[in-house]
Amino acid sequence: MGLDGWINTETLDVEDFRGKIVLLDFWTYTCVNCIRTLPYLKDWHHKYADEGLLIIGVHTPEFEFEKLPENVRAATADLGIEYPVAQDNDRVTFSTYRVQAWPTKYIMDGTGFVRYYHRGEGSYADTEKIIRFLLEEAGRDLSHIEPNSDPDPQWLTGSRATDPEEFITRELYGGTRRNIDFGGAYIANEEYYDSAGEVREYTDPGERKNHFIFLQGHWLSESENLRHARTTDDYQDYLGIKFYANEVNAVLDVEPGSMYRFRITMDGGPIPEQSAGPDITYDANGDSIVTVDTPRMYRLIRQQEVSAHELLLMPKDENFSLFSFTFGAYPMDDG
């Protein structure tokens, strides 16, 4: 199947699947959509593993640093995943199943026949019904296990407007691969598109639009990311976004064994405590700070309402490296 780097188990092969109801979850550890599905996967593992359900997290990376076994092992532990996870770094299994997005789930019966497919978040109750149906079809008595029939989390009011300035912000990428090679155009500075792979001094274009990153100062555009290109004594360089959401996350990288901090502001001041995500801290001056010590997704904003704001990420360190922003519009208690 092209899988290796097994976590939480010895190496598995096809014979280990025989007679099991197998759920393949194609995911990657910096994907916010994948992270949102994990509570349901962990619940199914807890309830049905002893009844014949085998969940395998097929970790297929989006970014190069997600290929490193030590990063995947650390993320699996931090996320509390106990079912088997295997690395699919060359996308062999990903391609075999013709997966097009993270997360994607396939469920196979005891003979290996695919009985269910779902792409993206949601349909959790329906997925559990399929799991239970296949286990009962295989002779398992599940009368002692209560299924979760809660409805899927719903987007908050105000996140489906037709005006692009009041529509949930799309995923934003910093690297030239998505912006230039694939034509995604996520950067507002026009000079970015003439400077692939180069250090350049950028001038803030001034106009703030939802769905775009804007740059000020010295930045290096690399294939997957934007890297701050100098060390400064103050916060004269920045990377900014105007967003419309109640949740903002950033995928950030750091060299092994090192760390850096950067200042982050919302609407010109520190992040209000009621809007601060778990990765926001405050220094002695009251400034909001993010400490990057692991390559992962950092939770920057978590607030009750969907609304428009402006974020500035202001590094002093040339190790600052941003891959992407992701956004949400779910209630705060969705996990």
Side-chain angles (χ1 to χ4, degrees):
M1 295 176 64
L3 301 178
D4 57 16
W6 288 87
I7 301 167
N8 295 332
T9 184
E10 299 295 327
T11 299
L12 300 177
D13 56 32
V14 174
E15 288 301 315
D16 295 306
F17 303 162
R18 199 172 302 280
K20 297 275 190 180
I21 306 305
V22 179
L23 188 160
L24 298 181
D25 177 51
F26 291 88
W27 74 300
T28 188
Y29 79 81
T30 64
C31 165
V32 67
N33 309 93
C34 302
I35 291 170
R36 290 191 189 116
T37 68
L38 291 180
Y40 300 92
L41 286 157
K42 291 188 283 188
D43 180 57
W44 299 334
H45 172 70
H46 174 73
K47 291 194 292 191
Y48 302 116
D50 290 341
E51 304 297 334
L53 175 67
L54 174 61
I55 298 177
I56 298 175
V58 182
H59 187 272
T60 311
E62 181 174 14
F63 304 119
E64 284 296 311
F65 68 79
E66 294 176 292
K67 293 182 177 181
L68 299 177
E70 59 270 28
N71 288 348
V72 182
R73 285 195 297 268
T76 299
D78 289 344
L79 293 167
I81 297 171
E82 297 179 349
Y83 50 80
V85 171
Q87 292 185 257
D88 185 31
N89 282 351
D90 295 326
R91 298 197 175 191
V92 174
T93 307
F94 192 88
S95 298
T96 299
Y97 283 85
R98 299 181 181 180
V99 178
Q100 297 180 325
W102 298 273
T104 291
K105 295 171 180 59
Y106 283 89
I107 302 180
M108 295 170 285
D109 62 22
T111 66
F113 188 79
V114 174
R115 304 284 292 272
Y116 180 78
Y117 159 84
H118 180 74
R119 183 172 73 178
E121 301 177 55
S123 295
Y124 303 115
D126 288 342
T127 303
E128 186 167 1
K129 286 179 182 177
I130 295 297
I131 291 170
R132 292 177 65 89
F133 173 80
L134 294 176
L135 289 172
E136 290 173 336
E137 184 181 66
R140 297 288 185 170
D141 178 8
L142 305 180
S143 59
H144 60 292
I145 301 175
E146 189 70 23
N148 181 4
S149 58
D150 293 340
D152 290 344
Q154 298 297 308
W155 276 21
L156 293 167
T157 302
S159 55
R160 295 289 192 182
T162 56
D163 182 348
E165 290 301 307
E166 295 185 352
F167 193 89
I168 181 71
T169 308
R170 61 178 175 161
E171 189 165 1
L172 303 176
Y173 290 91
T176 59
R177 183 168 180 263
R178 295 285 188 142
N179 278 281
I180 298 176
D181 296 349
F182 292 171
Y186 301 100
I187 309 297
N189 302 68
E190 292 183 5
E191 62 267 36
Y192 174 95
Y193 301 94
D194 299 322
S195 308
E198 299 177 6
V199 174
R200 181 156 185 164
E201 182 175 5
Y202 290 88
T203 300
D204 185 339
E207 186 177 10
R208 303 286 188 263
K209 287 187 176 182
N210 190 14
H211 310 295
F212 292 93
I213 296 170
F214 54 89
L215 302 171
Q216 171 68 37
H218 291 69
W219 294 90
L220 168 62
S221 57
E222 298 184 306
S223 175
E224 293 187 333
N225 58 293
L226 274 165
R227 184 178 297 276
H228 190 224
R230 62 176 175 172
T231 299
T232 61
D233 294 327
D234 55 22
Y235 296 110
Q236 61 203 69
D237 294 352
Y238 56 80
L239 176 158
I241 56 171
K242 180 182 177 182
F243 71 90
Y244 191 76
N246 80 320
E247 174 187 357
V248 182
N249 312 293
V251 176
L252 302 163
D253 192 13
V254 62
E255 294 296 322
S258 63
M259 57 84 71
Y260 59 86
R261 294 184 176 90
F262 65 89
R263 182 182 175 189
I264 180 170
T265 65
M266 187 164 80
D267 302 329
I271 306 295
E273 290 189 9
Q274 66 269 24
S275 298
D279 289 305
I280 299 294
T281 58
Y282 297 89
D283 65 14
N285 298 319
D287 292 329
S288 40
I289 303 294
V290 177
T291 300
V292 181
D293 54 8
T294 306
R296 63 176 176 88
M297 187 193 80
Y298 287 76
R299 294 182 178 268
L300 307 181
I301 302 297
R302 290 285 285 158
Q303 56 189 18
Q304 292 289 345
E305 301 296 330
V306 172
S307 51
H309 299 281
E310 181 180 289
L311 287 185
L312 295 184
L313 283 62
M314 297 179 287
K316 294 181 180 180
D317 197 303
E318 63 183 6
N319 288 321
F320 175 96
S321 181
L322 177 125
F323 286 71
S324 66
F325 286 105
T326 55
F327 304 87
Y330 290 106
M332 289 277 291
D333 61 355
D334 71 330

